[in-house]
Amino acid sequence: MTTLPGPVLDALRAAVGAEHVRTAAGDLAAYARDATPLFHRRPDAVVFPGSAAEVAAVLRIATEHRVPVVPRGAGSNLAAATVPTQGGIVLVMTRMNRILEISPDELLARVEPGVTNAALADAAAAQGLLFAPDPGSRTVATVGGNVATCAGGLRGLKYGVTRNYVLGLEAVLPTGEIIRTGGRLWKDVAGYDLTRLLTGSEGTLAVITEVTVALLPAPAESRTGVAYFPSLADAGRAVARVLRGGLVPATLEFLDRRCIAAVEEYAGLGLRLDAGALLLFGDDGPPETVADSLARIGEACAAEGALEVTCAREVAESEALLAARRCALPALSRLGSLTILEDATVPRPRIAEMVDRIDRIAEKHGVTIATFGHAGDGNLHPTCVVPSAEDTEAVRAAERAFADVFAAALDLGGTITGEHGVGAAKLAYLPARLGEDQMALLRRIKAAFDPAGILNPGKLGS
Amino acid sequence: MTTLPGPVLDALRAAVGAEHVRTAAGDLAAYARDATPLFHRRPDAVVFPGSAAEVAAVLRIATEHRVPVVPRGAGSNLAAATVPTQGGIVLVMTRMNRILEISPDELLARVEPGVTNAALADAAAAQGLLFAPDPGSRTVATVGGNVATCAGGLRGLKYGVTRNYVLGLEAVLPTGEIIRTGGRLWKDVAGYDLTRLLTGSEGTLAVITEVTVALLPAPAESRTGVAYFPSLADAGRAVARVLRGGLVPATLEFLDRRCIAAVEEYAGLGLRLDAGALLLFGDDGPPETVADSLARIGEACAAEGALEVTCAREVAESEALLAARRCALPALSRLGSLTILEDATVPRPRIAEMVDRIDRIAEKHGVTIATFGHAGDGNLHPTCVVPSAEDTEAVRAAERAFADVFAAALDLGGTITGEHGVGAAKLAYLPARLGEDQMALLRRIKAAFDPAGILNPGKLGS
């Protein structure tokens, strides 16, 4: 099934061990896709390196023979960034999954890239520490993938995104050199900020082989509340009132009317179906602060016309409320055989306007789009449900609708992707966001790292 | 005095207006230095652009004629990053000093690069907002300079450094293209992270012409305390105990014995001269939280053998305590005609060990080095006082001592610069920090932005 020449395969086997080079049809099929619908292409080989030195050996072989290499963690990417769209080698980093060190004195952890976000978060929690990035895929997504995509999550407003927590990286250049960027320090300005340049570079500049991340003391308590509003515009005003009041809470998530209905149908949580929007809010910290915080958010919601406000009194109740948000995607997925999840992002005050536009765009193209997302940072997840993936016309209509959605986000001062990335799925929309001059600069930066263009070709920087 | 050809000067005058191109001897002398001792070189012209379009015009002229261009804000740089070491044009950004927008609803400000850190902080404070970066030079330093150096400051541990607050930039490439990176969004992963790559690039990749920064709600209260310890090792253990206790306070600054003596001699604040170290601590937030925080830090200090702990009861008292730290540099400057301020940085638990090493290095080379700095993030400012700048042998001894200091910092897992930057002053030490492979990569990145090598040549990326 593979089209790689025998000598290349032999060299790969010598580099990582024969048992870590897979070319059987079943293996190739398994790594033809990530979590993005509609994108798939079989690789020619799947390679599982065990060390930075092995990664370097693989990359030198690939550069010499001009073979594409697509680095991959759990494959939970939603922009087809880990689909081998030009074939070649999928380089799966999951064997390198050790937590090398957790230092409570230095408030940091050093890990191999294949450790999952949840495993690191659990290990940190066992020492009273918090690993803040929490993408929706956290139970399966790897830390290497978090870094490669600059993953966001549900607490971005208060805690920021992955980039705010990456202190240092070990990475292998496509030409085989192993570099170490940053380190264990909060302050370090020796050289260009390659740590942050690699963060979010989607496996197109280098392969990450070790990550040092900052941890925080775990907050003593987390609590959640929920408010229902007649419309998203009301919920948006409540969010603005909270922030103007000097509070930056950990969680401010919303579901639109369609999402509320889908979640209730799916999970039977007892949500109100007469509301136009649900706002899930939460904060963490010392108990007094959290209590004060939730009370103030509740008051802001009431002042902006909330139909109902409920604050969880205990942890189990908070978890139940969060479940409404966490199951938005599975709930919507049940409505059709194809679910396209997007993440257009707009300035926070324009969320309601953007959701209005999305609704009109959906109507225009005759598709169903439900929207949920992060009200605190304007990061929306409009989700299109297509009844059948085989219905080519319906799929095309969804694609046309999303082209309009991205244009609307840009028109409102936003962006085409807040946290999922560009990958293969959104590369065509990138020039509208960055302009041709910046696109050309991206290509020159890519060439500075990867002169042969072997690393994740056809993605960011192409 | 200028060696620029007439047609180049004519083109510059046409680009920005004749009154904004200076070539008189006095003007050239005024821009031959920044705040770094021992480095100076006259430029051939000093140019004051008024807009991004004018910057683009100047850079196109410079690229065409291969004339070096050194972008400069207030010139408070401490690593000779804004000294025109190869002559050419000093591009002074101080005319572009407007605050374009402060948005309480979006928690951001948009400014021209020449606005000072203090002016932005004051304008934000007037709306109940905090601009967190606070380098020691904040009253004169420009926001453009803060971004170009990724400036740190006294509250880096809790609040992070400048990079954590830069949301978007407008910048002009050396070849004249105007690009916009990032924007108004907390989450935006469309493209390589050029916002962070330009942050800390020390004017070697592009000229920043507009900055969008994140603001925070201003904390309700700030309070400060001071503890004296027999030795820096005791103070270091107190810092570790604070952080292990789950607290990340806003301020944790220390002065060694020599600094305490110099500050007391200079300012007569009533400091204890029998102590081996002074730890200045502080926190901000809601009043109850701050009170609790200071009490816990005080307890940690007492538990680690503090000679004395005092917490300010009111704002004026807090300011008086902070003065001890803020006047460390002027106090030391009085001790000789030449003061070399450095900023080697080590992992936090190794501060006491590093200061011990610095003391032994000073002894070995027969120089006086006093050390103060940021205990929370391991960012030390060993400061060498040379009695006379004309004493060439003493200056050489200081330089040899600092070479040993940087080697010691690297040996302890640290870096050659935490917040001042590389500039011309520390470029020779950079290969020891980054390795030759990464140095080569930096040069390739530099070339991707600046093919003619006109922007701040002989600095980072050279």
Side-chain angles (χ1 to χ4, degrees):
Chain A
M1 299 298 295
T2 180
T3 63
L4 287 184
V8 174
L9 285 172
D10 289 344
L12 290 172
R13 289 182 184 119
V16 301
E19 70 275 33
H20 300 305
V21 178
R22 311 273 179 82
T23 55
D27 292 315
L28 301 184
Y31 291 92
R33 298 168 191 272
D34 58 19
T36 322
L38 304 174
F39 288 82
H40 50 91
R41 160 80 195 252
R42 281 192 181 207
D44 296 300
V46 185
V47 175
F48 299 78
S51 68
E54 290 186 7
V55 170
V58 170
L59 292 179
R60 278 192 298 265
I61 295 164
T63 283
E64 186 189 344
H65 297 278
R66 299 292 191 269
V67 179
V69 175
V70 180
R72 175 182 165 123
S76 50
N77 191 275
L78 287 161
T82 49
V83 173
T85 48
Q86 302 185 9
I89 297 163
V90 171
L91 191 68
V92 185
M93 303 303 291
T94 48
R95 275 179 70 212
M96 296 176 64
N97 65 351
R98 287 178 303 164
I99 295 176
L100 301 171
E101 176 187 5
I102 291 187
S103 168
D105 279 346
E106 294 187 59
L107 290 173
L108 60 78
R110 200 162 51 84
V111 303
E112 291 185 328
V115 69
T116 65
N117 178 296
L120 172 56
D122 290 350
Q127 303 209 33
L129 299 168
L130 174 74
F131 178 53
D134 71 331
S137 53
R138 57 185 293 280
T139 53
V140 297
T142 64
V143 173
N146 292 174
V147 174
T149 55
C150 189
L154 267 63
R155 43 191 181 209
L157 176 63
K158 179 172 179 173
Y159 286 106
V161 294
T162 299
R163 98 163 55 86
N164 299 100
Y165 296 91
V166 186
L167 294 174
L169 297 173
E170 179 190 74
V172 186
L173 301 185
T175 37
E177 301 96 320
I178 300 175
I179 62 171
R180 296 194 74 94
T181 74
R184 307 169 75 87
L185 307 168
W186 267 238
K187 284 179 174 172
D188 187 356
V189 290
Y192 295 140
D193 191 348
L194 300 190
T195 307
R196 257 57 59 167
L197 179 59
L198 292 180
T199 301
S201 66
E202 304 188 10
T204 63
L205 299 181
V207 177
I208 294 163
T209 50
E210 191 185 296
V211 181
T212 304
V213 290
L215 303 174
L216 297 171
E221 191 178 294
S222 288
R223 271 178 63 202
T224 305
V226 66
Y228 294 92
F229 292 89
S231 74
L232 252 172
D234 303 315
R237 282 199 315 275
V239 167
R241 184 181 275 257
V242 167
L243 295 166
R244 267 202 314 272
L247 195 65
V248 179
T251 305
L252 281 174
E253 298 286 315
F254 77 94
L255 275 67
D256 74 357
R257 187 187 299 273
R258 283 200 186 82
C259 287
I260 299 172
V263 167
E264 186 54 25
E265 168 82 17
Y266 173 71
L269 299 170
L271 306 182
R272 274 180 79 142
L273 297 173
D274 62 337
L278 179 160
L279 184 70
L280 191 77
F281 53 87
D283 207 357
D284 53 19
E288 330 74 75
T289 312
V290 173
D292 176 61
S293 203
L294 264 72
R296 284 164 67 189
I297 303 171
E299 284 160 23
C301 290
E304 295 294 350
L307 301 169
E308 182 184 330
V309 181
T310 314
C311 290
R313 269 147 307 182
E314 48 191 48
V315 174
E317 221 177 322
S318 276
E319 287 300 319
L321 293 178
L322 276 170
R325 167 63 180 82
R326 294 224 182 250
C327 72
L329 184 57
L332 291 169
S333 301
R334 287 211 322 171
L335 303 182
S337 76
L338 175 69
T339 311
I340 307 174
L341 172 69
E342 269 307 338
D343 81 322
T345 301
V346 293
R348 193 189 306 122
R350 312 199 75 166
I351 291 177
E353 194 179 347
M354 181 66 189
V355 174
D356 262 357
R357 288 219 199 178
I358 292 171
D359 288 349
R360 276 183 284 135
I361 289 166
E363 202 173 329
K364 173 182 154 199
H365 293 280
V367 298
T368 303
I369 301 183
T371 302
F372 59 96
H374 315 291
D377 39 41
N379 184 203
L380 309 186
H381 293 307
T383 303
C384 186
V385 182
V386 180
S388 160
E390 277 67 53
D391 182 346
T392 320
E393 195 35 57
V395 171
R396 289 223 185 100
E399 289 171 342
R400 282 193 298 268
F402 276 120
D404 285 358
V405 166
F406 299 139
L410 294 179
D411 187 42
L412 295 178
T415 189
I416 58 169
T417 173
E419 58 185 11
H420 293 171
V422 174
K426 275 192 274 197
L427 193 60
Y429 302 103
L430 198 58
R433 170 76 181 104
L434 301 183
E436 288 302 339
D437 287 337
Q438 196 171 160
M439 289 297 290
L441 179 59
L442 262 47
R443 286 189 288 267
R444 295 197 299 274
I445 293 171
K446 162 78 173 170
F449 281 81
D450 184 12
I454 56 136
L455 207 50
N456 216 351
K459 314 287 172 64
L460 203 48
S462 293
Chain B
M1 299 298 296
T2 179
T3 63
L4 284 184
V8 174
L9 286 172
D10 289 343
L12 292 172
R13 290 183 184 118
V16 302
E19 70 277 31
H20 300 305
V21 178
R22 311 272 178 83
T23 55
D27 292 317
L28 300 185
Y31 291 91
R33 299 168 191 272
D34 58 19
T36 321
L38 304 174
F39 288 82
H40 51 91
R41 161 81 195 251
R42 280 190 184 209
D44 296 300
V46 185
V47 175
F48 299 79
S51 67
E54 290 186 7
V55 170
V58 171
L59 292 178
R60 278 192 299 264
I61 294 163
T63 283
E64 187 189 343
H65 297 278
R66 298 294 191 268
V67 179
V69 175
V70 180
R72 174 182 166 125
S76 50
N77 191 274
L78 288 161
T82 49
V83 173
T85 49
Q86 302 185 9
I89 297 164
V90 171
L91 191 69
V92 186
M93 304 303 290
T94 49
R95 275 180 69 211
M96 295 177 63
N97 66 350
R98 287 178 303 164
I99 295 176
L100 301 170
E101 176 186 7
I102 291 187
S103 168
D105 279 346
E106 294 187 61
L107 288 173
L108 60 79
R110 199 162 51 84
V111 303
E112 290 184 330
V115 69
T116 65
N117 179 296
L120 172 56
D122 290 350
Q127 303 209 34
L129 299 168
L130 174 73
F131 178 53
D134 70 332
S137 54
R138 57 186 292 281
T139 52
V140 297
T142 64
V143 173
N146 292 174
V147 174
T149 55
C150 188
L154 267 63
R155 41 191 182 208
L157 176 64
K158 179 171 178 173
Y159 286 106
V161 294
T162 300
R163 100 165 53 86
N164 299 100
Y165 296 91
V166 186
L167 294 173
L169 297 173
E170 178 190 73
V172 186
L173 301 185
T175 36
E177 301 96 320
I178 301 174
I179 61 170
R180 296 194 74 95
T181 73
R184 307 170 73 88
L185 308 167
W186 267 239
K187 284 179 175 173
D188 186 356
V189 291
Y192 296 140
D193 191 349
L194 301 190
T195 307
R196 256 57 58 168
L197 178 60
L198 292 180
T199 302
S201 66
E202 303 189 8
T204 64
L205 299 181
V207 177
I208 294 164
T209 49
E210 191 185 295
V211 182
T212 304
V213 291
L215 304 174
L216 297 171
E221 192 178 296
S222 287
R223 271 180 62 201
T224 305
V226 65
Y228 293 93
F229 293 89
S231 75
L232 251 171
D234 303 315
R237 284 198 313 275
V239 168
R241 185 181 277 256
V242 168
L243 295 166
R244 269 202 313 274
L247 196 64
V248 179
T251 304
L252 281 173
E253 298 287 314
F254 77 95
L255 275 66
D256 74 357
R257 189 187 298 275
R258 283 200 186 83
C259 288
I260 298 172
V263 167
E264 186 54 25
E265 167 83 16
Y266 172 71
L269 299 169
L271 305 182
R272 272 180 81 141
L273 297 173
D274 62 336
L278 179 159
L279 184 71
L280 191 78
F281 54 86
D283 207 359
D284 54 19
E288 331 73 78
T289 312
V290 173
D292 177 59
S293 206
L294 264 72
R296 285 164 68 189
I297 302 172
E299 284 160 22
C301 291
E304 295 294 350
L307 301 170
E308 183 184 327
V309 181
T310 314
C311 290
R313 271 147 306 182
E314 49 191 48
V315 173
E317 221 177 323
S318 278
E319 287 300 320
L321 294 177
L322 276 170
R325 166 64 180 81
R326 295 226 182 246
C327 72
L329 184 57
L332 292 169
S333 301
R334 286 211 322 170
L335 304 182
S337 76
L338 176 69
T339 310
I340 307 175
L341 171 71
E342 269 306 339
D343 82 322
T345 301
V346 293
R348 193 189 305 120
R350 312 197 78 167
I351 291 177
E353 194 178 347
M354 182 66 189
V355 175
D356 262 357
R357 289 217 199 181
I358 292 171
D359 288 348
R360 277 183 284 137
I361 289 166
E363 203 174 329
K364 175 182 153 198
H365 293 280
V367 298
T368 303
I369 301 182
T371 303
F372 60 95
H374 315 291
D377 40 39
N379 184 201
L380 309 187
H381 293 308
T383 303
C384 186
V385 182
V386 180
S388 160
E390 278 66 53
D391 181 346
T392 320
E393 194 36 55
V395 171
R396 288 223 186 99
E399 287 170 344
R400 283 193 297 269
F402 275 120
D404 284 359
V405 166
F406 299 138
L410 294 178
D411 186 43
L412 295 178
T415 189
I416 59 169
T417 173
E419 59 185 10
H420 294 171
V422 173
K426 275 193 275 196
L427 193 60
Y429 302 103
L430 198 58
R433 170 77 182 103
L434 300 183
E436 288 301 339
D437 287 338
Q438 197 171 158
M439 289 297 291
L441 179 58
L442 260 47
R443 286 189 289 267
R444 295 198 298 274
I445 293 170
K446 163 77 174 171
F449 281 81
D450 184 13
I454 57 135
L455 207 50
N456 217 351
K459 314 287 173 65
L460 203 50
S462 293

